[in-house]
Amino acid sequence: KVVLQHHKKVLMIAGNHDSASRLSFVSGLLKQEGLYIEAYPAKKIKPIVIDGVNFYLVPFFKPSYIRYLYNDDKITTYQEAFATYLKNQDIDFNQTNVLITHQFIAGNHELVRSESEAILNVGGSEIIDVSLIKQFDYVALGHLHASQKVSKDTIRYSGSLMAYSFDETDQKKSIVDVTINDKETTFKLVSLKPKQNLIKIKGKFA
């Protein structure tokens, strides 16, 4: 409806819970209608340009995929994989650039996580330092279910649209409405009211 009736461009990437092969099916044809789907990381990203803004789509990947993509056996962690991937891209940071990705990006502060989120790896090797992506004018992150920023306001997890575990019952769900004018980025959070909410009820069997 958004694409066909309202003629809005929609950008979509695969997350760690998605089937990349299913999402990539007929993605080439859907692109002609304004629905852009990236299911596998391209060796060289071709940005989607909308109103002078370059959108870089980086779907979820494991280090093994980047090892294969660039034939580099030294890559073992998500940090090394993400750093290698960005290093192999041609990004002009003098232009206005938005990164859309689904990884566990973290900074100095503790992030709000949920029970329903899959642990990607053990020992913290799934964590990617936010310093790798600070040059982008805005970064839209997936993976964590709580709406929150990482390091600065323009690097954000939008969060899930509804609660998926009981530790999310007190979270305020929202979407991020972002405005980019030249390289000036502003945003506001638009609250969501799910038709079916998740609540906790405590009591005794008696």
Side-chain angles (χ1 to χ4, degrees):
K1 188 173 181 179
V2 173
V3 176
L4 296 179
Q5 290 187 21
H6 297 286
H7 307 290
K8 300 294 183 183
K9 291 183 172 63
V10 175
L11 314 183
M12 184 186 301
I13 60 171
N16 58 310
H17 291 293
D18 298 316
S19 169
S21 57
R22 288 186 178 185
L23 281 178
S24 63
F25 179 67
V26 302
S27 59
L29 295 175
L30 295 173
K31 189 182 297 184
Q32 299 174 25
E33 299 295 333
L35 175 57
Y36 298 85
I37 302 173
E38 288 293 341
Y40 298 100
K43 199 167 187 177
K44 283 284 185 185
I45 310 175
K46 185 177 180 181
I48 299 162
V49 183
I50 302 174
D51 296 333
V53 178
N54 301 319
F55 290 86
Y56 290 87
L57 275 58
V58 181
F60 172 76
F61 58 72
K62 293 183 178 180
S64 56
Y65 188 89
I66 305 303
R67 274 202 305 270
Y68 160 77
L69 197 62
Y70 299 110
N71 193 24
D72 187 348
D73 292 334
K74 295 178 182 177
I75 298 170
T76 57
T77 67
Y78 283 82
Q79 171 80 8
E80 292 167 347
F82 208 85
T84 300
Y85 189 70
L86 290 180
K87 195 181 296 182
N88 280 277
Q89 307 308 319
D90 300 319
I91 303 173
D92 181 1
F93 285 103
N94 291 315
Q95 298 183 21
T96 305
N97 302 307
V98 172
L99 174 65
I100 301 173
T101 190
H102 190 110
Q103 293 286 4
F104 186 14
I105 307 287
N108 295 327
H109 300 288
E110 188 70 24
L111 295 175
V112 180
R113 302 187 68 174
S114 303
E115 295 172 351
S116 58
E117 293 156 7
I119 301 298
L120 302 181
N121 216 314
V122 294
S125 62
E126 82 276 17
I127 299 173
I128 298 168
D129 192 271
V130 69
S131 61
L132 291 180
I133 57 173
K134 281 188 172 180
Q135 283 184 278
F136 287 91
D137 297 285
Y138 188 83
V139 180
L141 296 171
H143 186 58
L144 299 190
H145 291 191
S147 176
Q148 57 197 302
K149 68 178 183 179
V150 185
S151 182
K152 59 180 183 176
D153 285 336
T154 52
I155 303 176
R156 304 192 67 88
Y157 289 96
S158 60
S160 59
L161 299 179
M162 56 189 298
Y164 288 102
S165 61
F166 286 112
D167 61 351
E168 295 180 48
T169 53
D170 294 328
Q171 289 181 10
K172 293 181 179 179
K173 300 298 184 181
S174 61
I175 58 174
V176 189
D177 183 359
V178 182
T179 300
I180 300 177
N181 185 8
D182 199 1
K183 290 179 78 68
E184 292 294 321
T185 304
T186 57
F187 74 95
K188 62 180 178 180
L189 299 180
V190 181
S191 297
L192 297 176
K193 296 180 180 179
K195 289 183 179 180
Q196 297 294 331
N197 214 344
L198 191 64
I199 62 171
K200 285 182 183 178
I201 299 176
K202 292 182 179 181
K204 297 180 180 179
F205 282 111

